[in-house]
Amino acid sequence: MKNTFLQSMSKSLFALVLSAASSLTFSQVQPQTVPPLPTQMKASETAVILVDFQGNFVNPDGAWYQKFKPDYDKGMLDKTVKMVNEAREKGAWIIHVTEGYTQDHRELDWTNPGGFHRGQLMRKAWKVGSKEAAYYEPLMPKPEYKDLFLAPRIQVSAFGGTGLNEILRSKGIKNVAVAGFTTDVCVYATVIAAYDLGYHVYALRESMLGFFPEMSQSMLNSIFPMWSTVIDNDKFVGMVQK
């Protein structure tokens, strides 16, 4: 008798839930709305992160200079210098990030099978103080500038082991624009890290280059938009407000 009563109650409750659910229609379910993307940003809350503008890429004697020279001939470096000067003039914070190792690369794990550091070891590359690691002179900040020049890093992302996140947080930075080398390695890692840390990320397509041009362009078209706003230099600078 008791089991019959419980079964009856269960059936009644199920019928009640089903009736309530069936009374809902698609027209009654409102889609969640999100705010529109910002069209302006405060300069005091904005930083431009420049990744690896160093001799290896930008010096005529650098290992990768000839690979990127066609893009330099089209004005990539000049556009970058212009963008940095204009963003700085508006009050954005310019952050210079470099890669660099001790003379014998003792900070690296020589047995790690990953190719990134093994390539540096085989070429004895990016030693601090070397011509290959030297910074691009036109972007060197003048003494009166308030740019931040971080110590050389050994990790792929600009946020790796540099304290950059803590520094930006302490200054109230919410927006970061990323430029540099390369679209498919260190710049990409920096963009993803910045997004995961909660920053509004802007990928400056005119101021970055990749090892594999077609893949890099595909990444800018299809992958980078998942983590950032891919934007031209002038449009980004135009969004920055004093």
Side-chain angles (χ1 to χ4, degrees):
M1 184 72 175
K2 185 176 181 180
N3 289 340
T4 303
F5 175 74
L6 290 176
Q7 290 175 357
S8 177
M9 288 292 293
S10 297
K11 290 180 180 179
S12 298
L13 180 60
F14 177 76
L16 180 63
V17 172
L18 184 63
S19 175
S22 64
S23 67
L24 294 176
T25 64
F26 285 111
S27 62
Q28 292 174 306
V29 179
Q30 298 297 319
Q32 183 174 342
T33 59
V34 296
L37 293 175
T39 58
Q40 295 182 345
M41 64 187 81
K42 294 180 180 179
S44 61
E45 298 177 348
T46 303
V48 177
I49 301 175
L50 304 174
V51 181
D52 297 349
F53 280 86
Q54 296 170 267
N56 192 31
F57 297 121
V58 300
N59 188 297
D61 297 327
W64 302 109
Y65 180 84
Q66 291 302 322
K67 180 178 182 63
F68 297 129
K69 187 177 184 301
D71 294 283
Y72 300 153
D73 292 341
K74 295 176 183 177
M76 179 269 190
L77 292 174
D78 293 336
K79 290 178 182 179
T80 300
V81 172
K82 177 176 178 290
M83 176 273 299
V84 168
N85 288 336
E86 292 176 347
R88 182 191 292 114
E89 179 65 25
K90 283 193 166 186
W93 201 18
I94 310 302
I95 312 292
H96 305 267
V97 184
T98 62
E99 181 178 354
Y101 306 91
T102 56
Q103 297 304 303
D104 58 3
H105 295 82
R106 68 179 61 189
E107 62 270 52
L108 301 183
D109 176 4
W110 289 45
T111 66
N112 193 315
F116 182 74
H117 281 149
R118 293 188 70 81
Q120 322 311 325
L121 292 169
M122 288 187 290
R123 293 195 305 109
K124 301 179 180 180
W126 297 100
K127 295 180 180 181
V128 173
S130 69
K131 188 175 182 179
E132 185 178 58
Y135 203 64
Y136 184 51
E137 187 63 33
L139 285 175
M140 282 291 291
K142 296 179 181 179
E144 63 267 27
Y145 293 164
K146 296 182 179 180
D147 297 20
L148 176 64
F149 214 112
L150 292 176
R153 75 191 195 288
I154 66 171
Q155 297 184 32
V156 184
S157 165
F159 290 89
T162 62
L164 179 57
N165 179 48
E166 292 75 13
I167 294 170
L168 296 181
R169 296 294 186 200
S170 72
K171 298 292 186 179
I173 299 297
K174 298 179 180 179
N175 314 295
V176 296
V178 185
F181 302 89
T182 59
T183 308
D184 39 12
V185 186
C186 294
V187 168
Y188 180 51
T190 299
V191 165
I192 290 179
Y195 179 84
D196 277 345
L197 289 167
Y199 294 99
H200 296 185
V201 188
Y202 297 84
L204 299 168
R205 77 172 106 224
E206 295 176 291
S207 291
M208 60 177 69
L209 295 174
F211 280 115
F212 307 100
E214 291 184 0
M215 183 177 75
S216 296
Q217 190 58 52
S218 178
M219 290 177 67
L220 285 170
N221 292 338
S222 304
I223 306 299
F224 271 58
M226 295 178 66
W227 323 114
S228 67
T229 297
V230 181
I231 193 169
D232 290 339
N233 292 0
D234 288 344
K235 186 173 181 179
F236 164 71
V237 172
M239 292 178 66
V240 178
Q241 304 297 309
K242 289 186 177 181

